[in-house]
Amino acid sequence: MSGSSVDYTLYLVTDPYNPSAHDRYFHKVADALRGGVTLLQLREKKASSKQLFELAGQLKDMAASYQVPLIINDRVDIALAVDADGVHVGQDDLPAGVVRGLIGPDKILGVSASTVEEAVQAEKDGADYLGVGAVFPTRSKADATSVSIETLGAIRQTVRIPIVAIGGIDEANVETLYPAGIDGIAVISAILSQKDVLGAAKALREKAETFRKKQR
Amino acid sequence: MSGSSVDYTLYLVTDPYNPSAHDRYFHKVADALRGGVTLLQLREKKASSKQLFELAGQLKDMAASYQVPLIINDRVDIALAVDADGVHVGQDDLPAGVVRGLIGPDKILGVSASTVEEAVQAEKDGADYLGVGAVFPTRSKADATSVSIETLGAIRQTVRIPIVAIGGIDEANVETLYPAGIDGIAVISAILSQKDVLGAAKALREKAETFRKKQR
């Protein structure tokens, strides 16, 4: 799976895993996939490596059954161990160029960027796509740097690789992002914190498709 | 560097890194290496991947200048990224067999074991050595399973790979471990928490050499 054939329309990032709600965690992800998520990222900062390995293996099988690629946040070793489709790194993770060397040319490499400089560097280092945010205030990542729509647009003008907007995106505010020229949106709460996960995923997928078509 | 040519006599595991005491951290490790540490493990549970990568790179250069191999605890990706000499995994980390597949046949693979069963499995999975402990109560790893001298001996009778005892070892209690047939000792506090790090490393190295010779 190479970066260029990936559908970035609706990118789901997992919320923290809680072993005592194991079934619920997987049911929610399954509902989100059924609802139309096009890309899945395992982002898990507190689990042991063993837990991460097991989670990643299960999510990989589940995502594969929906033909959705699985990306692992930060942990290149876990991605290699389960043969995930790619890795996403932030500015506090392994340098993107080092990651590209470890995963080879074919796996998807995503990089978080909140400035034009970071975006340019990431593209140079071999990123397949950028995660740009936080475009709105978010509780899922309290320390995230905020990125204005102007910066989002400036990044779009500067790099050629796909851009996924992230951070506090929901059904109500998603439309405002498309004029900047984004390829997709990444969400956690807007899907996984909703009572009707399947319905939330469907609605966001539809909006994301519609707004992206309008922008073209 | 293959597991069989490694000197396990005195294995130093790093204590937690504190960015505000950066120089002190490296000075202490350098003193320990000068004092006779034969193997070095970076064990760092809280740093970001970027910090880990930088620490590992610096420790690798430092250890190499003393011809001492650097082993990375848990994080196979960091070990691969800096081309460290090996990886050490515990029972909550990636399975040893998976790690062997990721690092290839030549890098050193160490596995923590506190029972005969875990030791046998680790050897089967391709471990080059075992870290067995905690042989004494330790504050460095409060949740460590305690291992009796009898279990240490039983593990020695069962597996063929080298055994490094770990957990609460110091100058006063180290002698009692050798009759069980260990190949070396791993310590944190007994070197890094001492006022005279160089002197502590020298003294432990001498004791380790002496007791190991007596046992043969």
Side-chain angles (χ1 to χ4, degrees), chain A residues 49-50 74-77 92, chain B residues 49-50 74-75 77 92:
Chain A
S49 295
K50 185 184 177 184
D74 182 12
R75 293 292 299 268
V76 178
D77 46 0
D92 286 333
Chain B
S49 295
K50 185 183 175 183
D74 182 14
R75 293 293 299 269
D77 48 358
D92 286 333

Side-chain angles (χ1 to χ4, degrees), chain A residues 48-51 53 74-78 80-81 91-95 98 102, chain B residues 48-51 53 74-78 80-81 91-95 98 102:
Chain A
S48 70
S49 295
K50 185 184 177 184
Q51 268 184 325
F53 173 64
D74 182 12
R75 293 292 299 268
V76 178
D77 46 0
I78 303 295
L80 294 173
Q91 299 290 325
D92 286 333
D93 299 334
L94 279 173
V98 172
L102 293 175
Chain B
S48 69
S49 295
K50 185 183 175 183
Q51 267 183 325
F53 173 65
D74 182 14
R75 293 293 299 269
V76 178
D77 48 358
I78 303 296
L80 294 173
Q91 298 291 325
D92 286 333
D93 299 335
L94 278 173
V98 172
L102 293 175

Side-chain angles (χ1 to χ4, degrees), chain A residues 7-12 28-40 66 68 185 191 197-206 208-209:
Chain A
D7 181 353
Y8 294 99
T9 306
L10 182 57
Y11 191 171
L12 179 68
K28 288 200 299 177
V29 174
D31 277 352
L33 289 165
R34 272 203 298 148
V37 158
T38 60
L39 197 57
L40 178 64
Y66 290 87
V68 165
I185 52 170
I191 291 180
V197 168
L198 176 67
K202 276 187 180 169
L204 268 176
R205 169 71 181 264
E206 203 184 301
E209 300 272 9

Side-chain angles (χ1 to χ4, degrees), chain A residues 7 9-10 36 38 174 178 183 185 202-216:
Chain A
D7 181 353
T9 306
L10 182 57
T38 60
V174 61
Y178 286 87
D183 297 272
I185 52 170
K202 276 187 180 169
L204 268 176
R205 169 71 181 264
E206 203 184 301
K207 290 208 168 184
E209 300 272 9
T210 309
F211 296 139
R212 205 183 42 185
K213 273 179 201 148
K214 271 195 207 165
Q215 120 198 337
R216 276 168 187 172

Side-chain angles (χ1 to χ4, degrees), chain B residues 92-161:
Chain B
D92 286 333
D93 299 335
L94 278 173
V98 172
V99 175
R100 177 54 83 199
L102 293 175
I103 65 178
D106 294 334
K107 287 200 189 289
I108 304 164
L109 174 58
V111 177
S112 300
S114 55
T115 64
V116 171
E117 291 68 30
E118 287 175 358
V120 168
Q121 186 63 46
E123 186 172 50
K124 205 178 289 177
D125 289 342
D128 289 307
Y129 75 89
L130 298 176
V132 177
V135 290
F136 300 112
T138 167
R139 272 189 287 182
S140 302
K141 200 177 177 190
D143 63 341
T145 314
S146 70
V147 172
S148 64
I149 298 287
E150 289 67 34
T151 300
L152 189 61
I155 292 173
R156 175 67 297 163
Q157 299 302 314
T158 316
V159 301
R160 305 177 68 173
I161 52 178

